[in-house]
Amino acid sequence: MEQEWENLKKRIFENKPVYIRGYGRNAHGTYLYQGLYATVFGNMQIQKDPTNNAIPHKLIERLTGLKRNQNIYNYQVSHIWGHTKNPFFFEAPWNLCYTPKLMDPFTGHESKGIWPEEYQKIFFAKAYSLYAPFLEDYESVIQDYDMENQIKRYVQSLRGREEERVLNQFERDALSEWKSI
């Protein structure tokens, strides 16, 4: 897992292909994230995942040796912390897990109520305890690159060329994608 994480960071910083989930209706806003990452990291090869989850599926299969519906059934590939428009999170091996489909009502961001809240609290605490060194490494990227200000400067550079409504929504979404865990 550590080698996969180091390889991902290297690809991001060395302008190699890296994937993210599409942004906006029919992924029409993905170019905003691609522009942000070209500006901040100098990476012009950030691409939208063809199915919005193909790359994570391949990665978790390679890491675990388990393939859904062949030798593991009734599971889905999930991003633990989400942040799927953030290239560090979309392909991060420590952000992926097989989730039993039975648990889906408790895991999604749209899940509400005391049971999902309790389950998520326990789930995130366990995941954090397992992957703390990777999350701390990611936190150093946020700090080193001053991502909050980078996002604000990037959005400011687009003012007058994009609709205000679109830019305001993108700024909120991008800040959320890059928040601390």
Side-chain angles (χ1 to χ4, degrees):
M1 185 171 304
E2 187 171 329
Q3 187 57 46
E4 287 289 339
W5 172 237
E6 292 302 321
N7 180 43
L8 174 59
K9 292 188 303 183
K10 184 176 179 181
R11 287 186 291 129
I12 292 168
F13 296 130
E14 293 183 1
N15 194 30
K16 304 283 190 218
V18 180
Y19 292 87
I20 60 173
R21 187 167 281 165
Y23 175 64
R25 180 161 291 172
N26 298 320
H28 289 304
T30 307
Y31 72 96
L32 293 166
Y33 279 103
Q34 291 167 318
L36 173 65
Y37 302 142
T39 300
V40 175
F41 303 117
N43 190 319
M44 298 350 160
Q45 297 197 59
I46 304 290
Q47 301 170 30
K48 180 202 163 295
D49 183 283
T51 70
N52 273 340
N53 231 18
I55 300 301
H57 274 206
K58 288 177 187 173
L59 176 59
I60 200 167
E61 286 174 5
R62 190 173 76 246
L63 291 173
T64 65
L66 300 173
K67 186 167 179 146
R68 279 180 1 139
N69 301 324
Q70 284 189 1
N71 45 16
I72 185 170
Y73 296 91
N74 297 314
Y75 282 80
Q76 63 192 31
V77 175
S78 300
H79 286 88
I80 298 170
W81 288 281
H83 300 270
T84 56
K85 283 94 171 162
N86 177 327
F88 289 93
F89 271 68
F90 187 70
E91 291 187 60
W94 45 263
N95 192 29
L96 298 174
C97 68
Y98 280 121
T99 304
K101 289 185 177 183
L102 181 66
M103 299 307 291
D104 188 53
F106 300 102
T107 60
H109 64 275
E110 66 283 343
S111 300
K112 303 288 184 241
I114 59 170
W115 289 359
E117 287 174 18
E118 189 171 327
Y119 174 81
Q120 289 174 18
K121 183 177 165 184
I122 295 166
F123 179 75
F124 289 133
K126 179 62 176 177
Y128 193 89
S129 73
L130 289 171
Y131 303 126
F134 298 108
L135 291 165
E136 290 165 7
D137 191 27
Y138 166 73
E139 292 293 328
S140 70
V141 171
I142 293 175
Q143 292 172 359
D144 291 349
Y145 280 86
D146 190 16
M147 286 307 295
E148 183 176 341
N149 284 321
Q150 290 274 17
I151 290 165
K152 290 178 179 184
R153 281 195 293 272
Y154 174 69
V155 169
Q156 187 61 37
S157 76
L158 297 176
R159 300 242 183 252
R161 294 186 285 161
E162 299 284 342
E163 289 181 50
E164 275 304 302
R165 169 188 64 77
V166 170
L167 288 178
N168 291 337
Q169 185 63 54
F170 171 73
E171 183 173 13
R172 282 190 300 274
D173 293 344
L175 289 169
S176 178
E177 285 290 317
W178 283 90
K179 70 181 177 187
S180 293
I181 299 298

